[in-house]
Amino acid sequence: MFYIVKSGDSLSGIATRFRISVMEIMEANVICNPNLIFPGQPLIIPEPGVELPKAGGFPYYVVQFGDSLWCLSNQFSQSIGSLSASNQIPDPNQIFVGRELLVRFDQPNPFELFNQWNQTGLESCGEMSSLQIHGIYYIGTFRWESLGERAVPYLLPLLRHSCDTVRYYTVLSLGRIGTGTSTRLALQQALRDSETSVVELARLALQRFQLVQTWTKRIHITISEQVLFNQPNSNSASISVPKGTPVIGLRWNIPSPTAEEGPLGDIQIYDLVQLPETGQTGYFPRVGYNAILIM
């Protein structure tokens, strides 16, 4: 079941209303402090016989009042040190409400990650399955992001790789990093790529780079046309959102409360976002392997 917190609600009151325990709600959602919930916050209310993944964060999490890195490290099965490093947090005792954290990604060895991308592209370009591309390159974009601007020297040679797939996901990685002069210069270099899809993605990445200067890294941009639903339900009312639309993440990784089937037979996952240009909020469905089409 799906519930949107209203003014005056408490977690104990919601639990009583649905005849479940506070702990059951906390186990279904990323909640650090049971005494702090907020109007507009979406909650999954667990139901007997419906098994859903935990709602609230992956690949990003938006910090709420009452959160601490200690709590979040337990929520995401990630050490405080890893969580701090992946988000370039100098003081793990100080995190700010509204900040978006990259979660469940430990920092990789950049040389090893570079070699994996380089060699796989050389040996298998044009022959990789969608699962291989997802596992190595799509997931790899978040691993590069966890390194921040330290990743750029390793990504620069990959912009000249012979494989289009490698260059495309290299640009996506730079777009996820989104800060630093070296990142901007690398993206400008990608505008000269021979592959149209790489050039288009570089333009979107530079668009996001400019937005980040004002909005912080919580601002994202769609990298393909998407459908925005009123509810985390594909039967709800919807609008089309063009490629290149800025969006702000409000709550990530919300499983379909009805266990709606996703594109590969798993449970459909949604992300609650806001379009800053209009103020409209809604839910983007994820695509195959629960991938987000957002940079």
Side-chain angles (χ1 to χ4, degrees), residues 164-242:
D164 295 347
T165 299
V166 175
R167 300 199 308 279
Y168 181 91
Y169 284 97
T170 298
V171 170
L172 185 56
S173 301
L174 291 163
R176 294 206 193 285
I177 293 167
T179 60
T181 301
S182 59
T183 302
R184 175 177 56 80
L185 293 174
L187 288 170
Q188 289 173 340
Q189 175 183 324
L191 292 175
R192 301 191 293 271
D193 197 275
S194 59
E195 174 60 38
T196 301
S197 63
V198 175
V199 173
E200 289 179 351
L201 189 65
R203 287 178 179 146
L204 293 175
L206 283 166
Q207 183 180 340
R208 186 200 178 212
F209 183 93
Q210 293 300 321
L211 291 168
V212 165
Q213 314 309 305
T214 301
W215 291 84
T216 77
K217 285 190 66 177
R218 193 171 168 186
I219 192 78
H220 297 272
I221 197 163
T222 58
I223 58 175
S224 71
E225 183 175 341
Q226 298 206 48
V227 177
L228 186 72
F229 292 99
N230 284 355
Q231 299 291 328
N233 183 332
S234 61
N235 292 320
S236 65
S238 65
I239 62 170
S240 179
V241 177

Side-chain angles (χ1 to χ4, degrees), residues 13 36 60 68 87 107 127 139 159 163 196 204 250 257 273 276 289:
L36 290 173
Y60 302 107
S68 67
N87 290 280
Q107 284 191 336
E127 300 176 356
I139 294 298
L159 286 176
C163 182
T196 301
L204 293 175
L250 299 178
V273 302
Y289 309 111

Side-chain angles (χ1 to χ4, degrees), residues 26 81 96 102-103 106 109 112 131 142 151 159 178 197 214 258 286:
M26 292 187 69
F96 299 99
L102 179 68
V103 297
D106 295 328
N109 178 311
E112 291 178 359
L131 182 59
F142 298 104
L159 286 176
S197 63
T214 301
T258 60
R286 297 198 183 179

Side-chain angles (χ1 to χ4, degrees), residues 14 35 67 78 83 86 103 122 158 180 217 223 286:
I14 295 170
N35 298 313
D67 286 347
Q78 186 175 0
L83 196 54
S86 294
V103 297
L122 291 174
L158 295 175
K217 285 190 66 177
I223 58 175
R286 297 198 183 179

